Amino acid sequence: MSPFLLAATLVAQAAPPVQKPDVEALYTAFREAFDGERSPAAERALKTLEAAFPAHARSLDARKRFDAPLKTLPGRPAPAFRVPSLEDAGTAYSLDTFKGRPVLLEFWATWCPYCVADLPAVHRAWARFQSQGLEILSFSLDKRPEDVAAFRKAKQPMPWKHAFLPGMKAHPVAEAYGAASIPQYVLVGPDGRILASGNALRGERLEATLALHVGPAAAVLEEARAFARRTAEARKTGAPAPDAGAEERRLADRLATETRPELR
């Protein structure tokens, strides 16, 4: 062997091997950056994962999770569904079941620690807003419906409506509502349109978000929105605009004697 080839061989043997990125490490980095919101950090982590492993199952799962929030953006019509009641097979739930009332859709499972950790907040919201017309429908993504009954009996009662989705996250209803990660919450308004979803309905934020959309506060906000719509329409048509000053004084007078925090 020539001195040149010998030297090249020795250099090659001494050089450390090129480390290929580990798919699990990149997927973990994405999961740590993505907490249900499509943040720039999560997008960067996703792109790194997809560039290194473009067709890997982990890349496909990460993309599905990242895009899921787009399915439940506020203002969109809620996807239609029809599912049997978990307690009564002869009863079916659909969006029409809740027409004229707000309903919180909860996608959860007894095996999901984050779902279980959120349940005390859901119970508090139920106790506070049930009398104001709120409905809750929990979609179980468990493997067996019996698991839900056992959990409710032994741990938390969850005294609202329940349904079971065979196939778990692959069920069409779970797919339609972007339940790639659970828990997933979607608040649907009386008109069947999405009012809020995702992290705005998690934990301690749940009651604050519901206070804006359920009960007296919702009526006040609707008055303000109606005034804004009238103002916009007047600008389009050239008609005299409503008196904004008078409207502001009317609301200020109303709130001056209001003690409920959600209305103030």
Side-chain angles (χ1 to χ4, degrees):
M1 180 180 295
S2 70
F4 177 79
L5 289 176
L6 177 61
T9 301
L10 292 174
V11 169
Q13 292 175 346
V18 177
Q19 296 294 323
K20 184 178 180 180
D22 178 63
V23 65
E24 292 300 330
L26 294 180
Y27 180 74
T28 299
F30 166 76
R31 291 296 301 272
E32 290 175 349
F34 180 70
D35 64 351
E37 302 288 344
R38 289 167 57 88
S39 67
E43 185 173 14
R44 287 194 296 271
L46 173 62
K47 288 182 176 179
T48 301
L49 173 61
E50 289 180 325
F53 301 93
H56 197 281
R58 287 302 201 190
S59 299
L60 299 177
D61 179 77
R63 170 56 66 180
K64 184 176 181 179
R65 291 173 183 271
F66 186 74
D67 289 343
L70 297 177
K71 297 182 178 182
T72 55
L73 293 176
R76 288 190 171 187
F81 61 83
R82 185 175 180 81
V83 293
S85 164
L86 187 55
E87 292 98 345
D88 178 10
T91 298
Y93 297 132
S94 68
L95 287 176
D96 285 340
T97 304
F98 309 100
K99 191 172 183 179
R101 289 166 290 167
V103 57
L104 178 67
L105 304 178
E106 175 194 37
F107 294 81
W108 79 295
T110 61
W111 48 261
C112 167
Y114 304 106
C115 303
V116 175
D118 264 6
L119 282 178
V122 181
H123 276 87
R124 288 193 299 271
W126 175 249
R128 177 178 173 183
F129 293 102
Q130 179 190 10
S131 61
Q132 299 180 34
L134 178 69
E135 296 265 16
I136 299 179
L137 174 59
S138 288
F139 292 106
S140 165
L141 276 65
D142 283 280
K143 292 182 179 179
R144 305 180 307 159
E146 304 88 67
D147 296 338
V148 182
F151 177 90
R152 293 176 64 194
K153 183 177 181 180
K155 297 185 178 181
Q156 301 201 45
M158 305 176 70
W160 46 79
K161 294 179 173 61
H162 290 263
F164 180 75
L165 301 183
M168 305 169 73
K169 295 179 184 180
H171 190 280
V173 177
E175 290 273 4
Y177 279 88
S181 301
I182 57 173
Q184 161 71 328
Y185 301 96
V186 180
L187 180 63
V188 180
D191 61 353
R193 289 189 173 273
I194 295 172
L195 296 173
S197 63
N199 286 351
L201 299 167
R202 290 288 308 275
E204 299 302 321
R205 287 164 287 189
L206 175 59
E207 286 189 68
T209 300
L210 288 175
L212 295 175
H213 298 290
V214 179
V220 174
L221 285 173
E222 181 52 37
E223 289 179 25
R225 294 189 187 101
F227 181 84
R229 288 193 294 269
R230 293 196 301 272
T231 301
E233 186 62 28
R235 288 174 177 169
K236 286 182 181 179
T237 61
D243 188 341
E247 179 69 9
E248 183 178 355
R249 289 189 295 274
R250 185 186 70 79
L251 284 174
D253 291 343
R254 178 173 180 176
L255 293 176
T257 57
E258 182 56 62
T259 58
R260 287 169 289 184
E262 61 267 24
L263 275 172
R264 291 198 59 78

